[in-house]
Amino acid sequence: GFEDSLILWVDRTAVGVGGGVCQVSTTVFRSAFLGGFPVVERYNHGYVVSWYGEPGMDATIYTPSVDFKFRNDTNAFLLVQPVVDSVNGVISFLFYGTKPDRQVTVSEPVISDVVEAGEPVYQEDESLAPGQIKQVETAKKGLTVTIERTIVENGQSRTDKLVSVYQPWSAVYLVGPGTAIPGQEKPATP
């Protein structure tokens, strides 16, 4: 039942089966995180994925080795109901259960260890016409994002940190055979 969509594959964004599953894991993660549930396993994406909004609140999955898990610590059943609005392209998750006596506050993200993206990469692509250039990757800075979550429950307070480390990502261009590379004298290499 999966459809092709964008996925991260090694050092590229590509179209593949299962793309979009990370939107589901990210949305469930945000609901669980903001609800104060313990996060058991969570991985951020390799680089900042702009369509998830502000970095630091994403959760990637890749079966069987990378997963997202949270624990229901309410001592009651928890119903997780997906709501899909296909017309507007929106998915949300409603959590139903016994409401715990907790208040959750989440800090603004703190960004550190910023690393500039590398030089653009140009690769010859025989399917393009001579002189044609097609961008297939957008440059992204590498960075570390730290978010603190404070949970006050039954008169006790605890704070945990969510740290996400994103690698820098170079812009990648495909160019037709013999195309001059901007700022260089020689054509791209195949």
Side-chain angles (χ1 to χ4, degrees):
F2 291 109
E3 293 188 19
D4 286 346
S5 185
L6 294 177
I7 62 171
L8 301 185
W9 182 257
V10 188
D11 64 345
R12 289 289 166 88
T13 305
V15 174
V17 174
V21 175
C22 288
Q23 181 64 65
V24 172
S25 62
T26 293
T27 306
V28 172
F29 159 69
R30 288 179 179 178
S31 297
F33 188 75
L34 296 174
F37 293 96
V39 174
V40 176
E41 184 176 358
R42 176 258 176 191
Y43 301 90
N44 58 273
H45 287 80
Y47 69 89
V48 174
V49 179
S50 58
W51 59 81
Y52 292 134
E54 205 162 2
M57 290 292 289
D58 59 312
T60 187
I61 60 173
Y62 184 76
T63 302
S65 54
V66 175
D67 205 353
F68 167 68
K69 297 176 185 174
F70 74 96
R71 185 170 49 84
N72 175 10
D73 63 344
T74 66
N75 295 321
F77 290 106
L78 181 67
L79 170 67
V80 179
Q81 180 183 18
V83 178
V84 178
D85 178 350
S86 300
V87 172
N88 294 308
V90 175
I91 185 169
S92 41
F93 288 87
L94 304 176
F95 285 21
Y96 294 101
T98 303
K99 184 174 171 43
D101 182 23
R102 65 172 70 145
Q103 290 78 43
V104 180
T105 56
V106 176
S107 72
E108 291 295 319
V110 175
I111 296 174
S112 61
D113 305 322
V114 177
V115 178
E116 294 298 322
E119 292 295 316
V121 175
Y122 294 88
Q123 297 176 332
E124 186 175 298
D125 184 331
E126 302 261 339
S127 70
L128 298 177
Q132 186 178 5
I133 299 176
K134 178 181 177 185
Q135 186 171 6
V136 293
E137 294 289 340
T138 302
K140 302 283 184 181
K141 292 179 181 180
L143 45 93
T144 299
V145 179
T146 303
I147 297 173
E148 288 189 353
R149 173 179 71 166
T150 302
I151 302 164
V152 178
E153 186 169 13
N154 301 322
Q156 297 186 351
S157 175
R158 71 179 189 274
T159 299
D160 47 29
K161 285 186 180 182
L162 178 69
V163 178
S164 303
V165 179
Y166 299 97
Q167 66 186 359
W169 202 256
S170 294
V172 176
Y173 298 88
L174 301 179
V175 298
T179 301
I181 305 298
Q184 298 180 15
E185 294 180 21
K186 59 182 183 173
T189 56

